[in-house]
Amino acid sequence: MHTVEVCFTPEDYHLYKKDNQAVVVIDVLRATSVICSALYHGVSKVIPVETLEDAEKYLDKGYLVAGERNGEKVKSFALGNSPLAFVSGEYHGHELVISTTNGTRAINTAMDAEQLLIGSLLNAQSIINHLLIQEMDVLLLCSGWKGKTNLEDSICAGYIAQQLKESKRFESEEDSTLISINLFESAQTNPYSFLKGSSHRRRLLKLGLAKDIKFCLKANALDIVPYYSSGIICKL
Ligand code: MLT
Protein backbone atom coordinates (compact mmCIF):
# COMPACT_ATOMS: atom_id res chain seq x y z
CA MET A 1 0.00 0.00 0.00
CA HIS A 2 1.28 3.48 -0.88
CA THR A 3 0.23 6.87 0.44
CA VAL A 4 -1.38 9.78 -1.36
CA GLU A 5 -1.45 13.13 0.41
CA VAL A 6 -2.29 16.72 -0.45
CA CYS A 7 -0.14 19.71 0.45
CA PHE A 8 -1.97 23.03 0.07
CA THR A 9 1.00 25.35 -0.44
CA PRO A 10 4.67 25.18 -1.48
CA GLU A 11 5.47 26.71 1.93
CA ASP A 12 4.28 23.47 3.58
CA TYR A 13 6.16 21.16 1.20
CA HIS A 14 8.86 20.41 3.78
CA LEU A 15 6.17 18.93 6.07
CA TYR A 16 5.05 16.38 3.48
CA LYS A 17 8.11 15.51 1.42
CA LYS A 18 9.54 12.00 1.64
CA ASP A 19 12.04 9.82 -0.16
CA ASN A 20 10.84 7.81 -3.14
CA GLN A 21 7.85 10.10 -3.67
CA ALA A 22 6.16 11.19 -6.87
CA VAL A 23 5.18 14.85 -6.54
CA VAL A 24 2.46 16.30 -8.78
CA VAL A 25 2.53 20.10 -8.92
CA ILE A 26 -0.93 21.56 -9.53
CA ASP A 27 -1.81 25.12 -10.57
CA VAL A 28 -5.19 24.79 -12.26
CA LEU A 29 -5.48 28.57 -12.83
CA ARG A 30 -3.33 28.61 -14.80
CA ALA A 31 0.35 27.68 -14.89
CA THR A 32 0.18 23.89 -14.97
CA SER A 33 -2.80 24.01 -17.34
CA VAL A 34 -0.68 26.20 -19.63
CA ILE A 35 2.24 23.77 -19.50
CA CYS A 36 -0.08 20.85 -20.34
CA SER A 37 -1.66 22.78 -23.20
CA ALA A 38 1.70 23.92 -24.58
CA LEU A 39 3.24 20.43 -24.64
CA TYR A 40 0.05 18.80 -25.88
CA HIS A 41 -0.14 21.25 -28.77
CA GLY A 42 3.43 20.70 -29.91
CA VAL A 43 5.82 22.80 -27.81
CA SER A 44 8.92 20.60 -27.55
CA LYS A 45 9.96 21.46 -24.01
CA VAL A 46 9.13 23.88 -21.20
CA ILE A 47 11.68 25.52 -18.92
CA PRO A 48 10.01 26.79 -15.75
CA VAL A 49 11.94 29.62 -14.10
CA GLU A 50 11.19 31.32 -10.84
CA THR A 51 12.14 34.93 -11.44
CA LEU A 52 11.39 37.35 -14.26
CA GLU A 53 15.10 38.19 -14.39
CA ASP A 54 15.92 34.55 -15.13
CA ALA A 55 13.22 34.42 -17.82
CA GLU A 56 14.55 37.62 -19.44
CA LYS A 57 17.94 35.95 -19.95
CA TYR A 58 16.29 33.64 -22.50
CA LEU A 59 14.80 36.47 -24.58
CA ASP A 60 17.89 36.93 -26.75
CA LYS A 61 18.53 33.22 -27.15
CA GLY A 62 15.59 32.49 -29.42
CA TYR A 63 13.27 30.98 -26.83
CA LEU A 64 9.59 31.67 -26.71
CA VAL A 65 9.16 33.41 -23.35
CA ALA A 66 5.89 33.54 -21.43
CA GLY A 67 5.02 34.93 -18.05
CA GLU A 68 2.68 36.78 -15.79
CA ARG A 69 2.64 38.45 -12.44
CA ASN A 70 -0.66 38.70 -10.57
CA GLY A 71 -2.33 37.29 -13.68
CA GLU A 72 -1.13 40.06 -16.00
CA LYS A 73 1.15 39.39 -18.95
CA VAL A 74 4.75 40.54 -18.57
CA LYS A 75 5.05 43.26 -21.22
CA SER A 76 8.41 42.29 -22.69
CA PHE A 77 7.45 38.62 -23.12
CA ALA A 78 5.82 37.17 -26.24
CA LEU A 79 3.09 35.43 -24.28
CA GLY A 80 1.26 35.77 -20.99
CA ASN A 81 -0.14 32.74 -19.22
CA SER A 82 -3.06 31.55 -21.34
CA PRO A 83 -3.53 27.88 -22.24
CA LEU A 84 -5.52 29.00 -25.27
CA ALA A 85 -2.44 30.58 -26.89
CA PHE A 86 -1.20 27.11 -27.87
CA VAL A 87 -4.36 25.49 -29.14
CA SER A 88 -3.88 26.52 -32.80
CA GLY A 89 -0.51 24.71 -32.91
CA GLU A 90 1.25 27.99 -33.81
CA TYR A 91 4.07 27.23 -31.39
CA HIS A 92 4.71 23.67 -32.53
CA GLY A 93 8.41 22.82 -32.10
CA HIS A 94 9.19 25.89 -29.97
CA GLU A 95 11.02 25.76 -26.67
CA LEU A 96 9.03 27.65 -24.06
CA VAL A 97 10.42 29.45 -21.02
CA ILE A 98 7.77 30.36 -18.47
CA SER A 99 7.69 32.26 -15.18
CA THR A 100 4.47 32.66 -13.19
CA THR A 101 3.48 34.03 -9.81
CA ASN A 102 2.98 30.70 -8.06
CA GLY A 103 3.05 27.70 -10.41
CA THR A 104 6.66 27.84 -11.56
CA ARG A 105 7.71 28.62 -7.99
CA ALA A 106 5.96 25.45 -6.79
CA ILE A 107 7.71 23.42 -9.50
CA ASN A 108 11.08 24.75 -8.45
CA THR A 109 10.26 24.09 -4.77
CA ALA A 110 9.77 20.38 -5.51
CA MET A 111 12.66 19.90 -7.93
CA ASP A 112 14.32 17.50 -5.47
CA ALA A 113 11.44 15.00 -5.78
CA GLU A 114 12.22 11.49 -7.01
CA GLN A 115 9.60 12.02 -9.72
CA LEU A 116 8.08 15.41 -10.52
CA LEU A 117 4.96 15.62 -12.66
CA ILE A 118 2.79 18.50 -13.83
CA GLY A 119 -0.91 18.07 -13.12
CA SER A 120 -4.09 19.99 -13.80
CA LEU A 121 -7.74 19.18 -14.32
CA LEU A 122 -6.98 19.01 -18.06
CA ASN A 123 -4.73 15.96 -17.64
CA ALA A 124 -5.93 14.55 -14.31
CA GLN A 125 -6.90 11.14 -15.69
CA SER A 126 -3.54 10.70 -17.46
CA ILE A 127 -1.74 11.55 -14.22
CA ILE A 128 -3.91 9.08 -12.29
CA ASN A 129 -3.22 6.30 -14.83
CA HIS A 130 0.50 6.99 -14.62
CA LEU A 131 0.58 7.04 -10.80
CA LEU A 132 -1.32 3.77 -10.57
CA ILE A 133 1.64 1.92 -12.10
CA GLN A 134 4.52 3.67 -10.30
CA GLU A 135 4.78 1.86 -6.93
CA MET A 136 5.56 5.18 -5.25
CA ASP A 137 4.02 7.35 -2.55
CA VAL A 138 2.32 10.38 -4.06
CA LEU A 139 2.21 13.99 -2.94
CA LEU A 140 -0.19 16.37 -4.67
CA LEU A 141 1.41 19.79 -4.25
CA CYS A 142 -0.97 22.70 -4.78
CA SER A 143 0.60 25.98 -5.88
CA GLY A 144 -1.91 28.14 -4.00
CA TRP A 145 -1.57 31.89 -4.08
CA LYS A 146 1.46 33.55 -2.45
CA GLY A 147 1.57 31.07 0.40
CA LYS A 148 -2.22 30.85 0.82
CA THR A 149 -4.52 27.93 0.01
CA ASN A 150 -6.78 28.15 -3.02
CA LEU A 151 -9.92 26.31 -3.99
CA GLU A 152 -9.20 25.21 -7.56
CA ASP A 153 -5.90 23.44 -6.83
CA SER A 154 -7.43 21.74 -3.78
CA ILE A 155 -10.35 20.47 -5.90
CA CYS A 156 -8.02 19.03 -8.54
CA ALA A 157 -5.84 17.41 -5.86
CA GLY A 158 -9.00 15.97 -4.32
CA TYR A 159 -9.99 14.41 -7.64
CA ILE A 160 -6.64 12.69 -8.09
CA ALA A 161 -6.49 11.60 -4.43
CA GLN A 162 -10.03 10.21 -4.56
CA GLN A 163 -9.31 8.15 -7.67
CA LEU A 164 -6.06 6.77 -6.26
CA LYS A 165 -7.76 5.80 -3.00
CA GLU A 166 -10.60 4.13 -4.87
CA SER A 167 -8.04 1.86 -6.53
CA LYS A 168 -7.39 0.42 -3.02
CA ARG A 169 -3.68 0.70 -3.71
CA PHE A 170 -3.35 4.04 -1.88
CA GLU A 171 -4.28 5.28 1.57
CA SER A 172 -4.00 8.66 3.25
CA GLU A 173 -3.64 9.94 6.79
CA GLU A 174 -3.68 13.71 6.48
CA ASP A 175 -6.73 15.93 6.97
CA SER A 176 -5.60 18.02 3.99
CA THR A 177 -6.30 14.99 1.79
CA LEU A 178 -9.76 14.45 3.29
CA ILE A 179 -10.57 18.15 2.89
CA SER A 180 -9.56 18.04 -0.77
CA ILE A 181 -11.59 14.93 -1.52
CA ASN A 182 -14.65 16.47 0.15
CA LEU A 183 -14.17 19.67 -1.83
CA PHE A 184 -13.88 17.76 -5.08
CA GLU A 185 -17.04 15.79 -4.34
CA SER A 186 -18.95 19.03 -3.73
CA ALA A 187 -17.49 20.79 -6.76
CA GLN A 188 -17.49 18.09 -9.41
CA THR A 189 -20.90 18.69 -10.99
CA ASN A 190 -20.13 22.34 -11.78
CA PRO A 191 -16.63 23.47 -10.85
CA TYR A 192 -17.05 26.86 -12.58
CA SER A 193 -19.97 27.85 -10.41
CA PHE A 194 -18.41 26.20 -7.32
CA LEU A 195 -15.48 28.59 -7.76
CA LYS A 196 -17.79 31.61 -7.71
CA GLY A 197 -16.34 34.04 -5.22
CA SER A 198 -12.95 32.30 -5.12
CA SER A 199 -10.03 34.69 -5.13
CA HIS A 200 -8.36 33.73 -8.40
CA ARG A 201 -11.58 33.31 -10.39
CA ARG A 202 -12.41 36.86 -9.28
CA ARG A 203 -8.92 38.09 -10.18
CA LEU A 204 -8.95 36.51 -13.66
CA LEU A 205 -12.50 37.67 -14.40
CA LYS A 206 -11.44 41.25 -13.67
CA LEU A 207 -8.74 40.78 -16.31
CA GLY A 208 -11.33 39.53 -18.84
CA LEU A 209 -10.06 35.94 -18.75
CA ALA A 210 -13.30 33.94 -18.39
CA LYS A 211 -12.39 31.81 -21.43
CA ASP A 212 -9.14 30.77 -19.80
CA ILE A 213 -10.95 29.72 -16.63
CA LYS A 214 -13.47 27.64 -18.59
CA PHE A 215 -10.72 25.95 -20.60
CA CYS A 216 -8.69 25.11 -17.48
CA LEU A 217 -11.72 23.46 -15.85
CA LYS A 218 -12.24 20.94 -18.68
CA ALA A 219 -11.44 17.75 -16.81
CA ASN A 220 -9.48 15.13 -18.75
CA ALA A 221 -9.44 17.02 -22.04
CA LEU A 222 -5.72 16.39 -22.65
CA ASP A 223 -4.03 13.00 -22.54
CA ILE A 224 -0.55 14.02 -21.46
CA VAL A 225 1.89 13.44 -18.58
CA PRO A 226 4.43 16.28 -18.37
CA TYR A 227 7.58 15.20 -16.53
CA TYR A 228 10.26 17.46 -15.00
CA SER A 229 13.90 16.48 -15.14
CA SER A 230 17.03 18.65 -14.71
CA GLY A 231 15.23 21.95 -15.22
CA ILE A 232 13.16 20.88 -18.23
CA ILE A 233 9.58 19.65 -18.60
CA CYS A 234 8.83 17.24 -21.45
CA LYS A 235 6.05 14.85 -22.38
CA LEU A 236 6.55 11.40 -20.90
C1 MLT B 1 0.28 31.45 -11.07
O1 MLT B 1 1.32 30.83 -11.32
O2 MLT B 1 0.11 32.05 -10.02
C2 MLT B 1 -0.89 31.49 -12.02
O3 MLT B 1 -0.69 30.70 -13.09
C3 MLT B 1 -1.41 32.88 -12.21
C4 MLT B 1 -2.23 33.10 -13.49
O4 MLT B 1 -3.40 32.76 -13.55
O5 MLT B 1 -1.69 33.64 -14.43
Side-chain angles (χ1 to χ4, degrees), residues 8-225:
F8 287 134
T9 68
E11 279 68 12
D12 288 343
Y13 175 62
H14 66 283
L15 302 173
Y16 293 83
K17 66 185 261 194
K18 295 194 215 174
D19 292 339
N20 192 35
Q21 192 178 44
V23 176
V24 182
V25 174
I26 298 169
D27 186 4
V28 170
L29 299 176
R30 296 165 290 170
T32 58
S33 301
V34 170
I35 293 169
C36 290
S37 177
L39 289 169
Y40 184 85
H41 293 103
V43 163
S44 60
K45 63 181 183 185
V46 177
I47 302 173
V49 298
E50 210 168 321
T51 68
L52 295 179
E53 294 70 35
D54 284 343
E56 272 158 15
K57 290 180 193 148
Y58 289 87
L59 281 173
D60 297 332
K61 295 185 195 160
Y63 286 83
L64 179 65
V65 182
E68 59 69 39
R69 282 299 176 268
N70 301 317
E72 295 192 69
K73 177 181 174 297
V74 177
K75 284 201 178 73
S76 53
F77 295 174
L79 296 173
N81 192 32
S82 173
L84 296 170
F86 301 93
V87 171
S88 69
E90 185 182 346
Y91 300 108
H92 198 280
H94 282 71
E95 298 178 339
L96 176 71
V97 172
I98 186 166
S99 179
T100 71
T101 311
N102 302 285
T104 53
R105 199 167 65 85
I107 293 166
N108 282 295
T109 300
M111 63 198 283
D112 61 346
E114 180 76 21
Q115 207 181 107
L116 180 50
L117 307 166
I118 305 301
S120 65
L121 280 172
L122 292 170
N123 69 332
Q125 190 60 54
S126 309
I127 290 284
I128 292 161
N129 295 344
H130 173 80
L131 292 170
L132 283 172
I133 53 172
Q134 293 309 298
E135 298 295 339
M136 290 174 87
D137 290 336
V138 171
L139 180 64
L140 304 165
L141 175 59
C142 301
S143 299
W145 183 263
K146 299 183 180 176
K148 297 177 183 170
T149 302
N150 76 24
L151 210 45
E152 62 276 11
D153 295 345
S154 310
I155 290 167
C156 180
Y159 174 33
I160 297 171
Q162 185 221 47
Q163 294 294 305
L164 293 182
K165 286 183 78 172
E166 276 191 2
S167 74
K168 309 278 183 233
R169 280 184 267 162
F170 287 84
E171 59 189 6
S172 65
E173 286 182 353
E174 302 291 348
D175 287 5
S176 53
T177 311
L178 284 181
I179 291 168
S180 294
I181 292 173
N182 277 298
L183 273 178
F184 165 68
E185 288 174 349
S186 303
Q188 63 180 320
T189 47
N190 191 345
Y192 186 77
S193 85
F194 192 85
L195 289 179
K196 196 166 178 223
S198 70
S199 56
H200 204 45
R201 188 185 117 142
R202 248 184 3 249
R203 201 175 286 118
L204 293 178
L205 284 180
K206 269 192 205 146
L207 295 169
L209 294 168
K211 281 188 183 157
D212 277 20
I213 301 174
K214 287 185 175 151
F215 184 87
C216 293
L217 297 181
K218 284 186 188 166
N220 307 325
L222 307 180
D223 183 9
I224 186 168
V225 178

